[in-house]
Amino acid sequence: MELKICHMYPDVLNLYGDRGNVMCMRKRLEWRGIDAEVTRLPIGSSANLAGFDLVFIGGGQDFEQQVLLDDLHRGKDREILSAVRDGLPFLTICGGYQMMGNYYETYDGVRCDFIGAVDLYTVGSKKRMIGNYKFQCGTESGGSVVVGFENHSGQTFLGEGVQPLGQVLAGFGNNGEDGTEGVRWLNVFGTYSHGPLLPKNPAFCDQILLTALQRKYGTAELAPLDDAAELAAHNEMAAKL
Ligand code: GLN
């Protein structure tokens, strides 16, 4: 078995080492004897997503989100939209998560029209939502408790009928108001959680990998791994929160 992973905009969307999530996915596949091929699609690269099994998009500052707009609207937007409708799994973080939605209006009043692949929008607020946080995924996303780190000015609001990724247990999540965190739409997983999200949340990582493997191969199972170190990191932060 093999997964072809696309890392989109690694050049501009990589806050707090979001790319560590790609390394984590690759490693957890390799430990089970499953091949993983990672292809980077920076600004200016081909928009073609054909042949990929999983797409990762990290987060970025308002400035970087504006920098990529021209490139996005040169074809990657349409390609992402049709891939989402086709059920391709995406893991998108913060600025990358906002990009899957309709638009982001920054606190300075700059409007970024995004992809509209998921019915959600984001509006910048004066107060930044910063800190370690935790949330519980919905059952369709595995139901695990995820510990993460968020840092965003944008408040995201989901359209009618769009399910969040989970419910906030501590911290802000989508907007600091309605208790929701992230989004789960078809096979899009969107979250505000930055940096080492997957290394310290192995159950959530495996849920995403399984989604991709099952879509590709019909059925798939993941052999258990020794997650003692990962769970020690996870449990320590979960207890603090
Ligand atoms: N610039 C966006 C915001 O502040 C996204 C931030 C991020 O990716 N950390 O809401």
Side-chain angles (χ1 to χ4, degrees):
M1 288 200 287
E2 182 200 35
L3 283 187
K4 290 190 192 303
I5 300 173
C6 169
H7 186 176
M8 184 163 281
Y9 292 134
D11 46 348
V12 274
L13 295 181
N14 182 37
L15 268 187
Y16 306 114
D18 285 333
R19 75 193 165 94
N21 292 312
V22 176
M23 296 161 76
C24 180
M25 290 193 282
R26 169 151 52 187
K27 209 67 209 166
R28 293 185 71 81
L29 288 167
E30 283 174 0
W31 280 332
R32 286 142 163 156
I34 302 171
D35 292 333
E37 185 186 293
V38 177
T39 304
R40 292 156 55 94
L41 289 193
I43 284 185
S45 63
S46 135
N48 193 354
L49 292 181
F52 288 116
D53 305 309
L54 182 56
V55 178
F56 174 80
I57 312 176
Q61 302 174 60
D62 292 3
F63 172 73
E64 293 151 346
Q65 291 174 285
Q66 290 158 33
V67 160
L68 61 76
L69 277 179
D70 279 351
D71 184 77
L72 183 67
H73 293 306
R74 246 179 255 132
K76 288 197 177 78
D77 51 353
R78 288 189 300 278
E79 190 73 13
I80 291 172
L81 183 66
S82 80
V84 167
R85 288 184 179 154
D86 201 33
L88 187 67
F90 281 73
L91 172 61
T92 62
I93 311 281
C94 202
Y97 159 43
Q98 295 171 350
M99 198 176 86
M100 301 301 274
N102 300 320
Y103 65 85
Y104 171 34
E105 194 166 311
T106 70
Y107 180 66
D108 302 329
V110 178
R111 183 175 161 117
C112 302
D113 282 312
F114 282 145
I115 302 168
V118 185
D119 184 18
L120 58 86
Y121 67 93
T122 305
V123 182
S125 66
K126 187 171 179 194
K127 177 177 145 193
R128 289 200 75 82
M129 290 161 270
I130 307 179
N132 291 302
Y133 75 130
K134 71 176 170 181
F135 59 93
Q136 173 134 32
C137 289
T139 46
E140 67 290 343
S141 298
S144 64
V145 170
V146 171
V147 294
F149 173 77
E150 58 184 329
N151 182 356
H152 52 113
S153 140
Q155 289 186 291
T156 294
F157 298 93
L158 307 178
E160 223 177 292
V162 178
Q163 295 303 313
L165 179 62
Q167 296 294 325
V168 175
L169 298 172
F172 299 98
N174 275 338
N175 48 53
E177 292 172 5
D178 64 14
T180 65
E181 155 58 16
V183 78
R184 174 67 196 271
W185 176 253
L186 301 174
N187 285 330
V188 175
F189 298 79
T191 176
Y192 268 112
S193 186
H194 267 296
L197 162 68
L198 297 182
K200 65 185 175 194
N201 294 288
F204 184 54
C205 182
D206 285 354
Q207 181 66 32
I208 295 163
L209 297 176
L210 206 54
T211 302
L213 287 166
Q214 285 173 345
R215 176 174 179 269
K216 183 169 187 178
Y217 294 104
T219 57
E221 277 177 29
L222 286 173
L225 296 174
D226 174 6
D227 284 330
E230 290 82 350
L231 291 176
H234 176 280
N235 293 342
E236 168 133 356
M237 186 47 76
K240 266 190 201 160
L241 292 165

